[in-house]
Amino acid sequence: MILFDFIINNEHPSLPGHFPNNPIVPGAIIIEKVIQKLSELETPKEVTTLLAIKFIKPILPNQKVAILYKNISPTLLSFECSIDGKVSVLGRLSTR
């Protein structure tokens, strides 16, 4: 298991247009962070395919999001993004 966290602050340029007066972090920004954190590993992994993604609960600006990765095989990972132990996003991706 590999664990990272991130926060998208309320100054992020994608937020003003993503539901004005009630901003949520766009899914593309969340997935960008999931992929970016894999490149920060001691042995970086490159994502080749997003196999499945399920958005369960919105992520709001300034929330601390934990990403948990689990190896399914040498080239397949599952991940979950959670806030205070409650899952917001689930997914699987292939890597090399």
Side-chain angles (χ1 to χ4, degrees), residues 58-74:
I59 294 175
L60 305 177
N62 298 320
Q63 288 185 309
K64 185 176 183 179
V65 180
I67 308 171
L68 176 66
Y69 300 96
K70 294 181 185 173
N71 288 313
I72 297 171
S73 75

Side-chain angles (χ1 to χ4, degrees), residues 11-78:
E11 301 299 318
H12 193 279
S14 70
L15 295 176
H18 208 254
F19 307 118
N21 300 319
N22 190 23
I24 64 171
V25 178
I29 302 303
I30 297 165
I31 299 309
E32 178 182 60
K33 286 294 184 185
V34 167
I35 293 169
Q36 176 189 23
K37 294 298 181 181
L38 287 173
S39 71
E40 295 174 12
L41 293 172
E42 187 173 312
T43 305
K45 292 186 179 275
E46 179 185 353
V47 174
T48 57
T49 308
L50 300 171
L51 299 170
I53 300 171
K54 184 173 184 178
F55 295 94
I56 299 167
K57 184 178 177 187
I59 294 175
L60 305 177
N62 298 320
Q63 288 185 309
K64 185 176 183 179
V65 180
I67 308 171
L68 176 66
Y69 300 96
K70 294 181 185 173
N71 288 313
I72 297 171
S73 75
T75 60
L76 184 63
L77 292 175
S78 69

